[in-house]
Amino acid sequence: MRADFAIILSAGRRPANVIMIERLEAVLKRALEEPFARIFPGRLHPLELAAELRDAARDSRVRTTDGTFVANSYLVFMAAEDCQQLASISETVCAELAEHLRSYTDAEAWQIGPYVTVQLQPDAELSRSQVRTEAGFAACPETAYLQAQAGLPQVGRYPIGTETIIGRSRSCGTVIDSPEISRRHCRIAYRYVQYEIEDLNSANGTFVNGQQVQRATLLDGDLIEIGLVQLRFFVE
């Protein structure tokens, strides 16, 4: 058993990370205990995989003036035979491990963003029960866009890409010709793991879901209001 895992379990207190680990164990136990016991008898437990992923997240940290970002794309490599035996439950394994990473990074106040993925991959160089992990920053989603909801004569769809500036100026990536909108009103940009919106000292402010913001993370379905125009943010 990993030393850090043993220390956590032996501690008398019940801090947030213990509760987080217990939740993961409870969710995975029924679906995974028997398959993992068969594949990794006495050597590897699902929680050990979680510990490996936590280490990978910690090693990937990028500290910026806006906080600490960690990788949002994780590969768990194992022997081909082990991957094959886990095929029927791999979706459950990966989804729960991704959620575990979200909980862990939230507890550490690190930014992992909404697009966390964990994938199991075969590796011919690994023996049965061996595992290695890789972490990286996923490319910007190519399907992010804004959909006009109100305030414009026509319903339009505006692709975002990695970054766009919204405003009346023809130099903006997203041009909206409305008198209540500043020439350069706000910026939407993908930074490491998430989309962020930033007000560019506009005259009338930038609002997300009814709240005025200077800078905020955007999630799928968020409503952006600039002047009298409403735009819905989507990532397909």
Side-chain angles (χ1 to χ4, degrees):
M1 181 177 292
R2 294 169 52 88
D4 62 342
F5 183 56
I7 290 172
I8 289 174
L9 292 186
S10 63
R13 298 176 292 108
R14 287 176 52 80
N17 56 356
V18 172
I19 297 173
M20 174 182 66
I21 289 171
E22 289 177 347
R23 176 196 173 278
L24 178 67
E25 184 172 31
V27 172
L28 293 178
K29 184 175 181 181
R30 183 161 50 192
L32 308 184
E33 192 172 66
E34 182 180 347
F36 267 84
R38 183 175 66 253
I39 297 170
F40 307 116
R43 297 186 60 183
L44 186 68
H45 188 278
L47 298 187
E48 297 291 336
L49 285 184
E52 293 288 342
L53 289 170
R54 293 197 302 273
D55 286 346
R58 188 181 306 112
D59 291 342
S60 74
R61 287 174 294 177
V62 175
R63 294 181 175 86
T64 75
T65 55
D66 296 318
T68 299
F69 294 85
V70 297
N72 61 348
S73 178
Y74 295 82
L75 297 177
V76 178
F77 292 93
M78 56 182 63
E81 297 92 335
D82 294 341
C83 250
Q84 186 175 2
Q85 284 191 274
L86 285 175
S88 64
I89 57 170
S90 62
E91 186 175 343
T92 300
V93 174
C94 293
E96 290 303 327
L97 290 174
E99 185 60 33
H100 177 71
L101 282 169
R102 289 189 187 94
S103 299
Y104 171 62
T105 53
D106 283 349
E108 296 289 344
W110 301 338
Q111 298 184 56
I112 198 170
Y115 315 113
V116 187
T117 61
V118 177
Q119 297 180 6
L120 306 182
Q121 296 288 333
D123 187 333
E125 296 184 358
L126 293 178
S127 302
R128 298 296 300 269
S129 302
Q130 289 185 325
V131 171
R132 69 179 179 88
T133 59
E134 290 183 4
F137 291 87
C140 171
E142 298 180 357
T143 56
Y145 64 94
L146 299 171
Q147 183 79 47
Q149 301 287 293
L152 293 175
Q154 293 182 339
V155 175
R157 177 167 168 159
Y158 305 94
I160 296 173
T162 57
E163 179 176 336
T164 189
I165 293 177
I166 304 171
R168 294 197 332 269
S169 172
R170 296 299 171 184
S171 65
C172 293
T174 303
V175 179
I176 299 180
D177 192 8
S178 176
E180 296 81 12
I181 294 176
S182 299
R183 288 180 56 79
R184 288 168 55 88
H185 197 103
C186 61
R187 175 190 291 112
I188 297 176
Y190 189 78
R191 300 187 67 247
Y192 293 108
V193 296
Q194 61 198 15
Y195 277 100
E196 294 180 349
I197 187 168
E198 178 185 8
D199 184 78
L200 299 178
N201 298 316
S202 65
N204 293 315
T206 298
F207 296 79
V208 177
N209 299 327
Q211 300 294 318
Q212 186 169 3
V213 300
Q214 179 59 41
R215 177 181 288 177
T217 299
L218 287 177
L219 300 176
D220 185 46
D222 279 350
L223 182 65
I224 300 167
E225 297 175 84
I226 52 175
L228 300 178
V229 174
Q230 294 184 338
L231 303 165
R232 187 79 65 177
F233 173 79
F234 289 110
V235 180
E236 291 180 344

